[in-house]
Each structure stands twice: as C-alpha cells, then as structure tokens.
C-alpha cells in the first residue's frame, strides 16, 4: 500500500496488511429492471447556442423558473 502527498516525504510502513478472511460472503447480482445507464436513452434536451451568452446563475434561474428545458 502506498500513500502520496506533495510534501516529498517517504513515511515508514505501518506493517503488513491483515490476512484476508477465510470465508467471504457470496453476493447475488442486483437486477435493476432496466438496462445499464450507458444503454439508456438520454434525458432532457440540448439547449444549444441560444443560451451560450447567459451566465451560469442566469441558466440556473431559467431552469428553476421553468423557462429552460431540463
């Protein structure tokens, strides 16, 4: 195991890691009932260049007010 910082020091080892447990539980896969996130259709719409000149807070206010689509 390693630990890194920007202080340029090498720290002494804390000793060897503990041994692994003898018996690990078997985990069953979870069925979410839908495809993986990368296979799902994207949500929302692309707002495009119409909002390119607005500041971040103006965009946020537009989303909250419902003036812009999610």
């Amino acid at each position: 195991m390693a630990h890194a910082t920007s202080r340029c020091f090498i720290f002494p080892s804390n000793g060897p890691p503990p041994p692994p447990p003898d018996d690990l539980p078997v985990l069953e896969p979870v069925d979410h009932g839908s495809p993986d996130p990368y296979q799902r259709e994207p949500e929302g719409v692309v707002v495009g260049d119409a909002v390119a000149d607005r500041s971040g807070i103006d965009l946020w206010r537009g989303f909250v007010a419902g003036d812009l689509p999610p």
Side-chain angles (χ1 to χ4, degrees):
M1 179 178 279
H3 174 80
T5 68
S6 62
R7 296 181 289 176
C8 299
F9 286 101
I10 298 176
F11 295 102
S13 173
N14 291 334
D22 292 333
D23 188 22
L24 294 175
V26 176
L27 300 177
E28 297 296 325
V30 178
D31 182 21
H32 294 287
S34 64
D36 285 336
Y38 74 92
Q39 294 175 325
R40 298 177 191 162
E41 288 295 319
E43 296 179 6
V45 298
V46 177
V47 291
D49 293 336
V51 297
D53 60 341
R54 296 174 74 171
S55 69
I57 191 71
D58 287 338
L59 288 174
W60 180 79
R61 288 177 179 152
F63 292 132
V64 171
D67 299 333
L68 296 172

